[in-house]
């Protein structure tokens, strides 16, 4: 799994092409922040997401994606409440006040991929859910910051795990994780959301990684639905999932799926300044 020979190293020019895909994904998330409200179905969100992707010059990467269980039927994964990841948009799944929804989006521009996820509250949500989402976002940013100084992939995984544990008693979903990204959505290496520092492939300029912690308000155990895609918590507690695609540059990290490239969250010392 940690085959370093299979990591695709990118040139700065290729990172700029990935940035185009990343910005399409970011545009979809902006549209989702506007659209998510009580009464909207997850299928409505999917239709809107596909429109935004195509009108921005992208192609939805999830649509038709096949990992052996048949082609994925949507442009987003819309995972509500106890659904953790990969839930299929449905016209009968209508959002209600107090729900939590993770929206995972992938887009391809000129053959290069972007992939990111946000978790949003619908209307007014309970404080413990807001805290769950913050813990997940913080863990993702802890991983992104760690990537700026990491020597090995395990340093990033360890930073994500430590951040979650520091935030509270959350379940850390272990069956899924982050991944390399480039001319395919999923590339080596697999990025665990837990683990030890100092192990795994070396972090080097040219790497592009999608970091995506998934945490639950209860236990970490997950169950897979009969539809072959939807992953939910076994104990029925709500889950959060956040993701960014990042580029490891010579002079720091470029968050390809963040509109500001990560400048604000990372600060000048960790963000790449070479980008444009
Ligand atoms: N963004 C998801 C990931 O990072 C992929 C969604 S699976 C798909 O693993 F089938 F919807 F594409
Ligand atoms: Co991903």
């Amino acid at each position: 799994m940690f085959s370093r020979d299979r990591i695709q190293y990118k040139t700065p020019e290729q990172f700029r092409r990935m940035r185009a895909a990343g910005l399409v994904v970011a545009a979809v998330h902006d549209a989702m922040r506007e659209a998510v409200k009580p009464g909207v179905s997850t299928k409505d969100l999917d239709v809107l997401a596909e429109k935004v992707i195509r009108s921005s010059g992208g192609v939805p990467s999830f649509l038709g994606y096949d990992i052996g269980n048949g082609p994925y039927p949507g442009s987003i994964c819309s995972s509500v409440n106890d659904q953790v990841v990969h839930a299929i948009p449905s016209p009968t799944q209508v959002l209600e006040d107090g729900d939590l929804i993770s929206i995972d989006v992938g887009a391809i521009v000129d053959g290069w991929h972007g992939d990111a996820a946000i978790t949003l509250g619908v209307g007014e949500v309970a404080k413990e859910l807001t805290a769950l989402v913050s813990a997940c976002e913080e863990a993702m940013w802890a991983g992104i910051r760690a990537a700026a100084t990491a020597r090995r992939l395990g340093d990033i995984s360890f930073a994500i795990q430590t951040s979650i544990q520091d935030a509270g008693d959350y379940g850390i979903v272990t069956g899924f994780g982050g991944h390399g990204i480039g001319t395919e959505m999923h590339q080596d290496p697999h990025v665990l959301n837990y683990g030890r520092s100092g192990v795994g492939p070396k972090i080097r300029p040219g790497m592009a990684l999608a970091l995506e912690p998934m945490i639950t308000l209860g236990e970490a155990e997950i169950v897979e639905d009969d539809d072959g895609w939807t992953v939910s918590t076994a104990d029925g507690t709500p889950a959060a999932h956040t993701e960014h695609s990042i580029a490891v540059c010579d002079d720091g990290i470029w968050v390809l799926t963040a509109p500001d490239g990560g400048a604000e969250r990372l600060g000048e010392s960790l963000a790449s300044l070479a980008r444009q």
Side-chain angles (χ1 to χ4, degrees):
M1 214 184 261
F2 286 120
S3 167
R4 70 203 47 149
D5 306 336
R6 295 218 224 155
I7 295 172
Q8 178 187 49
Y9 296 94
K10 286 84 172 172
T11 64
E13 168 56 24
Q14 289 170 333
F15 277 158
R16 280 193 283 277
R17 296 170 69 176
M18 290 185 71
R19 172 60 163 170
L23 286 176
V24 171
V25 170
V28 175
H29 283 153
D30 282 345
M32 296 293 114
R33 284 188 191 90
E34 292 281 314
V36 163
K37 48 173 83 80
V40 168
S41 79
T42 51
K43 180 66 187 175
D44 295 334
L45 296 174
D46 185 55
V47 169
L48 174 62
E50 181 169 358
K51 233 178 245 166
V52 174
I53 293 170
R54 294 198 191 276
S55 68
S56 322
V59 173
S61 55
F62 294 5
L63 194 62
Y65 188 74
D66 200 335
I67 45 173
N69 45 353
Y72 187 76
S75 297
I76 62 171
C77 299
S78 47
S79 308
V80 177
N81 296 335
D82 62 316
Q83 297 175 334
V84 184
V85 285
H86 302 170
I88 300 169
S90 156
T92 59
Q93 188 181 39
V94 177
L95 298 179
E96 292 176 23
D97 195 50
D99 283 347
L100 216 51
I101 179 171
S102 142
I103 297 170
D104 193 345
V105 188
I108 312 167
V109 176
D110 289 337
W112 292 89
H113 285 249
D115 180 15
I118 50 174
T119 295
L120 301 171
V122 182
E124 290 272 305
V125 301
K127 273 205 197 91
E128 57 179 2
L129 296 185
T130 311
L132 175 76
V133 174
S134 300
C136 199
E137 281 174 1
E138 271 313 313
M140 174 185 68
W141 282 104
I144 296 172
R145 277 193 301 275
T149 53
R151 303 203 41 201
R152 291 187 181 270
L153 188 67
D155 303 358
I156 297 174
S157 301
F158 178 73
I160 293 171
Q161 175 184 359
T162 308
S163 174
I164 298 166
Q165 288 169 337
D166 287 351
D169 189 17
Y170 297 112
I172 305 179
V173 174
T174 56
F176 296 85
H179 48 93
I181 180 167
T183 50
E184 296 103 31
M185 172 164 57
H186 292 135
Q187 296 184 330
D188 278 346
H190 181 63
V191 186
L192 297 171
N193 289 317
Y194 61 94
R196 286 194 295 130
S197 309
V199 301
K202 284 203 172 100
I203 299 301
R204 301 210 327 240
M207 281 179 154
L209 301 170
L211 303 185
E212 48 180 322
M214 290 148 243
I215 64 172
T216 79
L217 209 49
E219 302 302 322
E221 282 67 39
I222 50 173
V223 287
E224 291 184 34
D225 194 274
D226 289 342
D227 67 13
W229 288 100
T230 309
V231 174
S232 305
T233 59
D235 62 6
T237 57
H241 168 223
T242 57
E243 174 178 22
H244 267 312
S245 299
I246 68 169
V248 181
C249 304
D250 280 325
D251 64 340
I253 298 297
W254 189 6
V255 184
L256 300 168
T257 46
D260 75 346
E264 193 187 321
R265 292 295 300 247
L266 293 173
E268 269 184 33
S269 59
L270 300 182
S272 167
L273 301 174
R275 63 179 184 270
Q276 47 179 316

